[in-house]
Amino acid sequence: MQRRADPEGEAATARGVARAGSLLAVTSNTAIPFSALPASGAPWWVQVYVARDRSLTVEVLERARAAGARAVVLTADTPVIGSHGRPGAHVADFVGPEDLYGNVTGIPAREAAEHAADLTPDVIAWLGEQTGLPVVVKGVLRGDDAREFAAAGASGLLVSNHGGRQLDGLVPTAWALPEVAEAVAGTGTEVYVDGGLRRGTHILAALALGARAVFVGRPVLWALTVAGDGGVARLLDELTGELAEAMRLTGALSLDQVERDLLWTALPPVG
């Protein structure tokens, strides 16, 4: 739905990402053809909602790989889309097929394109077989799930609560991150995090808690709305600059020196 922010949608976002030297994940629901992305020069991953009709997902994956996607991000926390019990809060109330299906033949029936509700860890291997690409699982909040996904072949795990939009009361990602990182330590499975990252100090804390990298969502949409691809580049450059400053002020000379001991993880004793 990034075309709601800029007429070129994810293609504009990708140009800004390339200018900042970063990467992006592009949803399988985008209205923008994946073939429009390589011109940006940005490395990108395809973020997949596995559909009830898996032939639709296979078509999306084939188009993504042909356009140069470097990994598959499996969103595992949306068997249904949360509405928070409020009428009019469901995303389907605001979008139509023209907003979603830029990489499938024709406009599918909504029922066929709805999220599959029967996913198991076996789908990780299936996605890898379909594409030959690394698979990252998004929506991980528990250590036991992290171990199971890594054992099933996940190359990376994205600690995410879907921006808090799925279920009220979910654990903040900053609280879940250490457990997930510790669960897969030494396995070679990379750990990333998103959710509420707005400053360089937030990123420093995420790295100290075990993340290899962070992802940002809403701020990119805001930047894209205000200033197009230039706004996206500026946002990412400023976050990187703030992270570098925070590292200098905490004495971390390199990313491998950003460790847990930089953080207070509990209130100091009183008296």
Side-chain angles (χ1 to χ4, degrees):
M1 290 174 281
Q2 290 185 33
R3 289 202 308 185
R4 299 291 184 101
D6 184 281
E8 294 184 88
E10 287 86 346
T13 300
R15 290 197 301 272
V17 167
R19 286 169 56 183
S22 192
L23 65 81
L24 74 159
V26 179
T27 176
S28 56
N29 283 346
T30 179
I32 301 298
F34 294 142
S35 58
L37 299 172
S40 71
W44 64 282
W45 301 348
V46 60
Q47 175 257 326
V48 172
Y49 296 99
V50 175
R52 289 186 181 181
D53 182 347
R54 290 206 181 181
S55 68
L56 298 177
T57 301
V58 170
E59 182 177 0
V60 167
L61 292 170
E62 289 174 347
R63 292 183 182 226
R65 181 172 181 182
R70 300 189 185 184
V72 178
V73 181
L74 167 64
T75 298
D77 61 350
T78 54
V80 295
I81 299 175
S83 67
H84 303 283
R86 297 192 301 272
H90 197 291
V91 66
D93 297 330
F94 301 94
V95 302
E98 69 279 3
D99 294 308
L100 301 174
Y101 305 124
N103 293 281
V104 295
T105 303
I107 302 298
R110 184 176 292 275
E111 292 76 15
E114 285 180 351
H115 301 174
D118 58 349
L119 299 185
T120 69
D122 294 341
V123 79
I124 297 170
W126 179 76
L127 290 169
E129 291 165 1
Q130 293 295 320
T131 62
L133 298 173
V135 178
V136 175
V137 180
K138 176 179 182 287
V140 184
L141 295 172
R142 294 169 54 111
D144 53 354
D145 287 338
R147 285 188 290 270
E148 186 171 5
F149 297 150
S155 296
L157 306 172
L158 177 49
V159 178
S160 176
N161 61 19
H162 220 90
R165 294 185 294 112
Q166 275 292 88
L167 181 66
D168 290 342
L170 281 179
V171 61
T173 55
W175 293 6
L177 174 58
E179 178 180 321
V180 172
E182 289 167 8
V184 296
T187 67
T189 305
E190 293 196 343
V191 176
Y192 322 115
V193 67
D194 68 17
L197 295 149
R198 303 290 184 263
R199 301 294 302 273
T201 48
H202 301 164
I203 299 170
L204 182 78
L207 300 179
L209 290 171
R212 176 80 170 90
V214 307
F215 284 79
V216 290
R218 291 184 182 112
V220 171
L221 289 177
W222 300 333
L224 186 65
T225 301
V226 172
D229 58 350
V232 174
R234 176 180 170 184
L235 166 73
L236 297 176
D237 285 341
E238 289 184 355
L239 286 173
T240 300
E242 290 178 4
L243 171 61
E245 179 183 87
M247 290 173 61
R248 293 188 185 100
L249 291 172
T250 55
L253 301 179
S254 60
L255 289 173
D256 60 8
Q257 292 184 7
V258 179
E259 297 181 335
R260 185 80 65 89
D261 61 3
L262 291 180
L263 305 177
W264 278 105
T265 54
L267 292 175
V270 177

